[in-house]
Amino acid sequence: MSTTITELPNPLFSNGRSVLAKFGYRHLEDGELREDWAEMWELLRPDFAGRADRHVPAYGDLSPVQAAAAREYMAVRLIADRNLEICERRHVQLFSGGIQTDAVERYAEARDAYEEAVETFGHAREALDVLLSRAAA
């Protein structure tokens, strides 16, 4: 069963996906794997190269502590991706079946989970940035 949503009643999600794509988001069909850490790191690595003199290592060149922090950062991103997809589905359901209190509540819960994951993603980024800065110093 495909979960692809081709048209949404709210451009918030399509705009959100385009912003998240900068950090490696892509909608996956059922059964596709996301856990290629080295590939994901290549998508996210430029976000840490804020200064021209800063070298951000490839995933295989990270220290064990840095690699663990990078995996945590990427895992949180995957959670945010999944929460966005759940939020989208529940938002579409609001429009497809009429407004129902339980559907609104499910959507609100999904939206809260997505927003929390995005905040956690930001915190994980900050923690990893500190580790990368220490190594560069």
Side-chain angles (χ1 to χ4, degrees), residues 16-27:
R17 281 192 308 273
S18 68
V19 170
L20 289 178
K22 171 184 169 188
F23 300 103
Y25 172 82
R26 64 185 180 95
H27 181 81

Side-chain angles (χ1 to χ4, degrees), residues 1-11 13-15 17 25-30 81-96 107:
M1 179 175 102
S2 176
T3 58
T4 303
I5 300 171
T6 56
E7 189 172 327
L8 299 168
N10 185 336
F13 296 110
S14 57
N15 293 341
R17 281 192 308 273
Y25 172 82
R26 64 185 180 95
H27 181 81
L28 298 176
E29 296 301 321
D30 292 338
D81 291 354
R82 179 69 178 136
N83 287 341
L84 176 64
E85 292 165 2
I86 292 168
C87 194
E88 286 178 330
R89 281 196 305 276
R90 291 184 180 171
H91 188 263
V92 169
Q93 289 168 357
L94 288 177
F95 288 89
S96 65
Y107 169 73

Side-chain angles (χ1 to χ4, degrees), residues 91-134:
H91 188 263
V92 169
Q93 289 168 357
L94 288 177
F95 288 89
S96 65
I99 301 298
Q100 299 171 4
T101 304
D102 60 331
V104 172
E105 184 62 29
R106 284 192 310 272
Y107 169 73
E109 289 170 359
R111 176 74 188 222
D112 289 346
Y114 170 67
E115 290 174 356
E116 183 177 318
V118 169
E119 287 181 24
T120 303
F121 180 67
H123 295 304
R125 188 220 177 277
E126 291 170 5
L128 180 54
D129 191 49
V130 168
L131 289 172
L132 293 171
S133 293
R134 286 183 189 153

Side-chain angles (χ1 to χ4, degrees), residues 57-73:
Y59 181 76
D61 296 330
L62 294 172
S63 73
V65 171
Q66 291 171 331
R71 282 190 306 276
E72 176 67 22
Y73 174 63

Side-chain angles (χ1 to χ4, degrees), residues 45-54 56 125 129:
R45 189 166 83 150
D47 188 44
F48 293 94
R51 298 186 316 258
D53 63 337
R54 184 177 195 183
V56 180
R125 188 220 177 277
D129 191 49

